[in-house]
Amino acid sequence: MPVVIALGALVMTLLGGWTAHRVTDRRHLILGLAGGLMLGVVGLDLLPEALEVAGDEVYGVPAALLCFVGGFLLAHAVERLLAERVAAHHVVQPAPVATGGAEARAGAGASAAGRPSAPASALPGRAPQVGLTAAAAMVGHSAMDGVALGLAAQVSDEMTLAVAVAVIAHDFADGFNTYTLTSLYGNARRKAVLMLGADAVAPVVGAASTLLFTVPDQALGIYLGFFGGVLLYLAAADILPEAHHDHPALSTLGCTVAGVGFVWLVVGAAH
């Protein structure tokens, strides 16, 4: 069952990458909806389930909530470290001053001709390796999505459905971002497509891996809390700001609210 659902995530990831390549005008509505779905799953299903399964407290605080905060902080730390690495590649070197007349200028031209030029779509000052690193992180995140699906299937069908909604919803954004990050930093289209393919297959591999082991209820609750923190950070700090960046419209906000409302209906029907 989780592997079949992961195939749906695969399709959504590829659709997100295709959208990044072909469509740019309406993606803010889709991202707004994806952010709302993720927010609803975290607040209305993942956290309540995690608190119910992992009920032990650590120094007066439920263990699931501590893991929730830990997941949020870890996602934030990873993003900040990546942002600092990107910023390090934005340092623009001053152009050399030609002092040797025509010969010096000719030598400088030859040196420039010997260096490979960045693709026209690349932004100045950005290293292709940074884009590949960011895309690889997205692939790892997608693999953990598949693991979350498999672990949720070990709890209940209702939990599987709720996690599936979150994973499939935000895997569209994952595919979109994987393709965009790879190509934005000057990598060839072939590399962007390869990274997109790896990101699409990752949740299937992650879900299949959980067929080899089971997790105790308490450990599962702790993981769900941690996963909820990561999802909330991605929704609040990445997907929703991106949705409103170029199109701060009420329609985008409406899609976000609709996403939360849809999850509420799914959770209510499941119970």
Side-chain angles (χ1 to χ4, degrees):
M1 178 67 174
V3 176
V4 175
I5 296 174
L7 291 175
L10 182 152
V11 173
M12 287 300 292
T13 302
L14 294 177
L15 181 60
W18 179 85
T19 302
H21 181 63
R22 299 295 298 272
V23 181
T24 58
D25 186 46
R26 297 291 180 182
R27 72 183 181 93
H28 60 287
L29 298 178
I30 299 174
L31 292 176
L33 178 63
L37 290 171
M38 292 168 65
L39 177 60
V41 165
V42 171
L44 304 179
D45 197 82
L46 282 183
L47 270 185
E49 186 70 26
L51 289 170
E52 181 179 344
V53 176
D56 292 346
E57 294 186 352
V58 178
Y59 205 66
V61 179
L65 285 183
L66 287 176
C67 291
F68 171 78
V69 175
F72 189 97
L73 291 176
L74 179 62
H76 175 61
V78 170
E79 185 189 56
R80 289 297 89 205
L81 290 173
L82 183 60
E84 288 183 6
R85 183 172 180 182
V86 171
H89 288 83
H90 274 75
V91 178
V92 179
Q93 300 295 333
V97 178
T99 57
E103 292 181 0
R105 289 192 296 272
S111 175
R115 293 194 301 266
S117 60
S121 59
L123 295 183
R126 295 195 173 185
Q129 294 82 359
V130 177
L132 291 175
T133 300
M138 297 297 296
V139 173
H141 165 66
S142 294
M144 291 306 298
D145 285 348
V147 172
L149 272 173
L151 295 181
Q154 297 178 18
V155 178
S156 65
D157 291 340
E158 291 80 4
M159 175 60 67
T160 303
L161 178 60
V163 174
V165 169
V167 168
I168 292 176
H170 88 270
D171 270 5
F172 176 89
D174 282 354
F176 189 98
N177 290 333
T178 298
Y179 186 92
T180 300
L181 286 169
T182 307
S183 57
L184 186 65
Y185 284 85
N187 292 286
R189 180 177 179 271
R190 178 179 59 85
K191 289 185 177 180
V193 172
L194 286 175
M195 294 305 297
L196 176 63
D199 191 48
V201 173
V204 179
V205 175
S209 70
T210 62
L211 299 176
L212 305 176
F213 60 89
T214 58
V215 179
D217 286 348
Q218 185 165 356
L220 187 58
I222 289 174
Y223 174 77
L224 290 176
F226 179 84
F227 180 64
V230 173
L231 274 186
L232 181 63
Y233 183 84
L234 291 174
D238 185 11
I239 293 180
L240 289 177
E242 180 67 21
H244 290 273
H245 178 64
D246 294 324
H247 298 271
L250 288 178
S251 58
T252 307
L253 178 60
C255 287
T256 303
V257 174
V260 176
F262 175 76
V263 175
W264 186 13
L265 292 176
V266 170
V267 172
H271 290 79

